[in-house]
Amino acid sequence: MRHDRKYAMPLLKRFLALWCSGILIVTGCSDRQIFDETGLATAVGYDLLKDGKIRGTSVMPSINPEARNKIQILSATGETSKGIRDKMNLQSDKRVLGGQIRVALYSENFAKKGLGSIIDTLYRDSSLSSRIYLCVFAGETYDMLTYPYSEQGNIGIYLYRLIEQNIRGEKIPSSTMHEFFRAYYEKGIDPVMPYIERKGNELKIKGIALFKGDRYVSWVTPKEAFLLKLIHGKFRIGSYDTSVPVAIFGESPKNHNSKKDQVQLVFDTISSHSKIKLSQVSPPIFDIHVELHARILELTIPLKLENAKLMKIMEHGLEKELEKELHKLISKLKSLDVDPTGFGSIYRSNRRGMANMTQAEWRKMFQDATFRFHVKSTIIRNGVMD
Amino acid sequence: MKINLNVTKSNTISAFLAGVLVHGTQVGMGVLGFQRIIAKEAGHDAWISVILAGLITHVTVWIIIKTLQKYPSADLYGIQEDVYGRWLGTGISLLYLTYFFISAGVILRNYIEVVQTWVFPNLPTWILSGIILFLVYYTIVGGIRVVAGYTFFSIAVTIWLLCDLYFPLQYAHWEYLFPIMDSSLENLFNGMLAMSLTSVGFEVIYVVYPFVENKDRVNKSTQWAVLVTYLAYLLIMLVSLVFFSQGQLMRTIWATLNLHKMVYLPVLERFELVVISLWLIVILPNIMLYLWCSARGLKRLFGFNLRTSLNWIMPLIYITSLTVFTRLEMNMINDWYGTTSMYVAFLYPYFLYIMVLLKQRTQPAKSTSKGESA
């Protein structure tokens, strides 16, 4: 009897135990997402059609071993990105999910009309990563994603690696969805994205697309993108190539060919940091102090670099060249009326009571602003050869 | 009702664990999304508001301990009966007990909303709520020692989440913090008030106090607990301010989760899902302690034992949690709860302290436990 009492549970307790184990079993079945039954899109592209509708194209890896194509491409038109996804599901044997999207592409025409609304849905959807790379494609993304590339394999992953590799290598500024949104909702800075083009079988990053608000306006070359980052940012492993006149080294050109008057210099492992000072408030004057350390990697005339004077000359040549290019870039940005470097944020952070500065106010001030560059370069190494 | 409690030695906790309980109850749902609410008032100076709120909390906790130390071993319910008399005391205690109950409900409901928004949109509320409340019930029945032990465990296994802030820091724009002190004092003050939802939790010490073994060290350990809480808040706030632009932060409901979205490990992406799952461990002590305080209240006021009071409370909170709320309603509830908790947890302790002082001036403190109070 005593034994029985020890193991007998009161009714309530028994009921509770049953209820709990029941719940635990039932919860195991909630929201299953079986890998074989889901189609994980790796890249999506959006185009604007002539009738104002949006065409979405998504790339999914095909895990069917019998399939001839390694990827599966779905395309649908609709008014919204989620509407497009619903239509894509009608074409697919698997449930299309966005959790693995790495790259979102927008056609140039679409980007010109403004991307705000369609990117908004990306940010709102908690199933998507914040680290999605957004880019602009020169042409229709449908054509690009459906093109039968011979070597790239899964085009979504390929694109992702292409962008990732170049961001890591500090060739282009980072452009994750988070950074796009940060710039988009900030009054003193305009967003940027990589600008991608296709040449035959090859995809390449042509440059950096500049946005004004959520509208694409123009693009700049990777070299200019380097300068953008030099103004406001840090380099650890950047690289830059430039040319300076031979004359500054005190050497007369060996063969009097006009093309050889220039010496090509290539610098790499550039580490830099910049300091932007607001020297005058109205109209704004910015003093940009850039300090950079570089290693010389290549030069096209055989110079003996043991001479400290020569190094000084080379440093000076680089400084002058960079300052000239920076001024050129700034006047280009002014004519486009975009501020991808975020001078507006710096202006706001250096003045009190400007927290409510509007974008329009800043654009006006940006036009009147003066930028003074002070570049200081040090060549710390010159390879294994003097 | 006896004003002072004689807790058997086998049922006491150390002063250190009392601090753990305070810290564990403070950190909860608020920290997932407090950035936006404070930045709405104080802009990019929100971190100053966090410091201000921290200072106020330190003082408030100190006052609470002072109040408790006026008695040898009394809790909130006993003190209130002593100060206000039988009927009024019971009435106010009932209100306070309801506040504890509502706190638990708000936390539970908020967590379920996060899970349904971020992880399982289709998961029915009744299952999740049922599981959480079962765990809560199971732990509370074990008594305060088990709850304290669990709280310690929950802090120990989740404190490392702070290290993840390294990932969003790589995207930091430090100029977002400048100019410092750009917001007016009024805005900073409003920001501080908006912190209240995130700050509260320390008021559980009112009920836990009689169970503390070495009462002379409670003051020190609770102050440490509050300090640790606010250092963590300050860190999270600073990282959020440099990671998000102001306009973006205003649109981000759970900024802390968005911070964790940037965490990226070779074998593990989408770290926010891990954080949300781990957050269950963080919020369980909150719900446990609040419900325990509430059940203690019933026991003290009406003499029910803990299990009986829990049998009343648990079904009630379960049914309440099943009500469907939209995001807007949740915002309203959180705002309302934030305001209420500000009065209950931040202002009321000062009032109670003054009342206790007045009472003991007219009627010298009874150092030995006395039977029925006047």
Side-chain angles (χ1 to χ4, degrees):
Chain A
M1 276 311 280
R2 198 179 138 68
H3 181 85
D4 277 359
R5 199 176 294 157
K6 198 171 174 189
Y7 290 97
M9 281 200 270
L11 189 67
L12 181 73
K13 224 179 192 178
R14 213 180 286 181
F15 172 73
L16 254 178
L18 186 71
W19 184 63
C20 291
S21 44
I23 270 188
L24 284 176
I25 292 163
V26 171
T27 342
C29 307
S30 154
D31 266 1
R32 284 176 308 166
Q33 297 188 343
I34 295 168
F35 183 64
D36 283 5
E37 291 168 11
T38 50
L40 299 169
T42 50
V44 286
Y46 295 103
D47 302 313
L48 190 65
L49 299 181
K50 286 207 178 70
D51 56 359
K53 283 194 174 175
I54 300 165
R55 177 173 58 202
T57 314
S58 73
V59 180
M60 307 190 302
S62 164
I63 45 175
N64 183 355
E66 286 158 28
R68 205 148 44 84
N69 282 329
K70 279 203 181 120
I71 54 171
Q72 193 178 349
I73 293 169
L74 301 174
S75 178
T77 59
E79 310 278 347
T80 60
S81 75
K82 292 294 174 286
I84 291 168
R85 191 158 88 184
D86 285 343
K87 283 188 183 165
M88 280 179 188
N89 268 318
L90 295 176
Q91 305 169 19
S92 170
D93 58 333
K94 296 171 194 141
R95 208 166 123 217
V96 181
L97 293 175
Q100 280 290 325
I101 292 178
R102 305 299 175 102
V103 181
L105 294 146
Y106 302 91
S107 77
E108 199 175 333
N109 288 329
F110 192 9
K112 271 182 189 154
K113 287 274 187 298
L115 294 177
S117 61
I118 197 133
I119 299 180
D120 183 275
T121 65
L122 292 184
Y123 195 62
R124 191 176 297 279
D125 188 347
S126 68
S127 75
L128 299 178
S129 163
S130 290
R131 302 175 74 259
I132 294 177
Y133 290 123
L134 308 178
C135 14
V136 175
F137 179 69
E140 297 290 291
T141 62
Y142 177 78
D143 301 337
M144 175 228 193
L145 291 172
T146 51
Y147 187 86
Y149 300 94
S150 45
E151 278 130 44
Q152 274 80 342
N154 184 339
I155 184 69
I157 298 292
Y158 177 79
L159 266 172
Y160 170 71
R161 298 223 189 285
L162 175 76
I163 299 167
E164 169 99 351
Q165 191 267 112
N166 281 296
I167 288 172
R168 287 254 170 97
E170 299 189 329
K171 300 281 186 288
I172 54 171
S174 178
S175 70
T176 56
M177 186 167 79
H178 167 75
E179 281 156 300
F180 180 88
F181 264 96
R182 168 155 87 180
Y184 177 51
Y185 286 128
E186 162 84 18
K187 288 148 196 159
I189 186 168
D190 287 309
V192 293
M193 286 186 197
Y195 185 65
I196 292 176
E197 69 167 359
R198 178 170 70 85
K199 271 211 175 126
N201 208 358
E202 303 271 306
L203 286 172
K204 83 170 214 213
I205 300 174
K206 195 177 175 188
I208 296 299
L210 302 177
F211 279 74
K212 183 173 177 178
D214 66 342
R215 275 158 210 256
Y216 163 77
V217 282
S218 181
W219 64 280
V220 294
T221 62
K223 202 168 168 180
E224 287 166 313
F226 170 87
L227 296 170
L228 282 181
K229 198 171 173 187
L230 194 65
I231 295 174
H232 188 193
K234 267 191 174 135
F235 274 105
R236 277 178 305 155
I237 47 165
S239 71
Y240 185 72
D241 62 314
T242 182
S243 57
V244 293
V246 170
I248 65 166
F249 292 111
E251 288 197 15
S252 55
K254 293 248 160 49
N255 41 356
H256 291 273
N257 186 336
S258 60
K259 268 190 183 170
K260 287 279 177 189
D261 280 358
Q262 297 282 320
V263 188
Q264 293 292 329
L265 301 173
V266 179
F267 299 95
D268 84 336
T269 43
I270 293 177
S271 62
S272 80
H273 63 100
S274 72
K275 218 168 156 186
I276 306 180
K277 237 181 86 187
L278 181 67
S279 305
Q280 187 184 311
V281 168
S282 177
I285 295 179
F286 290 95
D287 272 306
I288 300 121
H289 297 269
V290 181
E291 207 169 304
L292 64 100
H293 297 276
R295 175 177 79 162
I296 183 141
L297 191 68
E298 197 176 332
L299 65 174
T300 49
I301 56 166
L303 280 177
K304 268 196 155 185
L305 293 177
E306 59 192 350
N307 189 347
K309 219 164 148 194
L310 267 181
M311 292 296 260
K312 275 273 165 298
I313 291 171
M314 204 187 298
E315 283 168 6
H316 194 68
L318 178 65
E319 285 163 14
K320 281 278 150 306
E321 162 75 15
L322 279 176
E323 279 171 25
K324 197 181 85 198
E325 291 294 326
L326 285 167
H327 276 294
K328 249 202 245 168
L329 177 68
I330 286 291
S331 51
K332 183 172 179 181
L333 293 180
K334 270 190 183 174
S335 68
L336 291 169
D337 200 18
V338 294
D339 176 20
T341 41
F343 281 111
S345 307
I346 290 161
Y347 183 78
R348 185 199 54 75
S349 70
N350 276 296
R351 277 198 68 188
R352 293 196 169 269
M354 294 303 283
N356 297 321
M357 176 180 77
T358 63
Q359 187 117 38
E361 276 169 8
W362 168 243
R363 292 221 190 277
K364 214 164 144 264
M365 278 189 275
F366 182 60
Q367 287 301 327
D368 301 334
T370 316
F371 299 90
R372 293 193 297 226
F373 293 99
H374 313 273
V375 184
K376 196 176 170 312
S377 72
T378 318
I379 295 171
I380 46 170
R381 269 185 286 278
N382 42 27
V384 290
M385 197 176 96
D386 254 344
Chain B
M1 181 172 73
K2 279 184 173 180
I3 293 166
N4 289 303
L5 275 168
N6 291 321
V7 179
T8 49
K9 190 133 171 63
S10 64
N11 211 9
T12 54
I13 56 173
S14 67
F16 168 73
L17 279 177
V20 165
L21 286 177
V22 167
H23 173 75
T25 321
Q26 277 193 300
V27 179
M29 285 318 290
V31 66
L32 290 187
F34 72 117
Q35 295 96 327
R36 178 177 72 138
I37 303 163
I38 297 154
K40 213 179 254 171
E41 306 287 345
H44 61 269
D45 283 327
W47 60 277
I48 301 177
S49 291
V50 175
I51 295 179
L52 287 178
L55 292 176
I56 294 285
T57 311
H58 273 295
V59 177
T60 313
V61 170
W62 184 70
I63 285 291
I64 289 177
I65 301 289
K66 275 269 155 211
T67 316
L68 289 166
Q69 281 174 344
K70 292 278 170 201
Y71 295 83
S73 177
D75 63 0
L76 177 74
Y77 304 115
I79 293 174
Q80 282 181 343
E81 183 161 322
D82 183 41
V83 172
Y84 305 121
R86 180 116 200 208
W87 292 104
L88 191 59
T90 309
I92 293 178
S93 293
L94 261 180
L95 284 180
Y96 219 99
L97 177 160
T98 317
Y99 161 77
F100 282 136
F101 178 78
I102 290 173
S103 304
V106 168
I107 293 164
L108 180 64
R109 198 49 236 187
N110 266 309
Y111 182 70
I112 292 171
E113 198 204 356
V114 168
V115 171
Q116 284 174 343
T117 314
W118 287 75
V119 198
F120 297 123
N122 308 326
L123 186 66
T125 309
W126 65 269
I127 291 183
L128 196 55
S129 177
I131 293 176
I132 295 174
L133 287 177
F134 167 71
L135 288 172
V136 169
Y137 177 81
Y138 190 67
T139 319
I140 299 179
V141 165
I144 186 69
R145 283 192 140 189
V146 178
V147 173
Y150 179 77
T151 310
F152 180 76
F153 164 79
S154 96
I155 294 170
V157 298
T158 51
I159 193 90
W160 61 272
L161 283 175
L162 279 176
C163 305
D164 297 340
L165 295 177
Y166 164 77
F167 289 89
L169 260 187
Q170 290 172 326
Y171 295 83
H173 273 193
W174 292 98
E175 74 259 13
Y176 286 161
L177 286 183
F178 295 97
I180 293 167
M181 284 293 289
D182 197 25
S183 309
S184 66
L185 278 176
E186 192 195 336
N187 287 344
L188 289 179
F189 186 74
N190 285 337
M192 187 192 83
L193 296 185
M195 245 331 254
S196 63
L197 174 74
T198 324
S199 307
V200 290
F202 51 81
E203 67 275 14
V204 293
I205 196 70
Y206 264 141
V207 189
V208 174
Y209 185 77
F211 291 86
V212 183
E213 199 180 352
N214 35 358
K215 296 198 168 54
D216 47 327
R217 290 165 76 174
V218 175
N219 198 4
K220 202 170 154 193
S221 74
T222 47
Q223 292 293 332
W224 272 106
V226 173
L227 184 69
V228 171
T229 308
Y230 274 91
L231 283 180
Y233 286 174
L234 184 63
L235 188 66
I236 294 170
M237 182 54 106
L238 279 173
V239 174
S240 307
L241 288 175
V242 296
F243 179 72
F244 296 103
S245 63
Q246 282 296 313
Q248 189 187 15
L249 193 54
M250 292 302 125
R251 285 168 176 81
T252 312
I253 303 175
W254 292 285
T256 308
L257 290 179
N258 277 65
L259 288 179
H260 281 106
K261 265 191 144 185
M262 298 314 274
V263 177
Y264 169 76
L265 304 169
V267 289
L268 193 64
E269 288 179 19
R270 314 303 306 285
F271 202 72
E272 74 272 14
L273 300 180
V274 178
V275 173
I276 292 168
S277 318
L278 274 177
W279 218 254
L280 177 61
I281 298 178
V282 176
I283 61 134
L284 273 177
N286 297 11
I287 302 176
M288 279 172 198
L289 235 83
Y290 277 130
L291 286 185
W292 180 81
C293 291
S294 186
R296 278 291 304 168
L298 286 181
K299 183 179 178 181
R300 294 278 280 147
L301 295 179
F302 308 113
F304 302 152
N305 72 18
L306 192 71
R307 220 175 257 258
T308 322
S309 358
L310 277 179
N311 288 346
W312 281 99
I313 289 174
M314 298 311 279
L316 193 59
I317 194 166
Y318 185 59
I319 291 163
T320 323
S321 74
L322 297 185
T323 331
V324 179
F325 293 115
T326 62
R327 181 90 263 282
L328 276 176
E329 285 164 345
M330 279 313 289
N331 265 346
M332 253 165 55
I333 290 171
N334 287 345
D335 284 351
W336 175 84
Y337 173 70
T339 324
T340 314
S341 63
M342 190 175 72
Y343 289 113
V344 175
F346 278 99
L347 289 177
Y348 180 67
Y350 296 94
F351 179 72
L352 187 64
Y353 182 58
I354 293 169
M355 291 307 283
V356 168
L357 282 184
L358 287 177
K359 163 91 186 171
Q360 296 202 340
R361 176 160 297 176
T362 52
Q363 207 174 327
K366 311 154 196 117
S367 54
T368 50
S369 56
K370 182 180 168 278
E372 286 291 316
S373 68

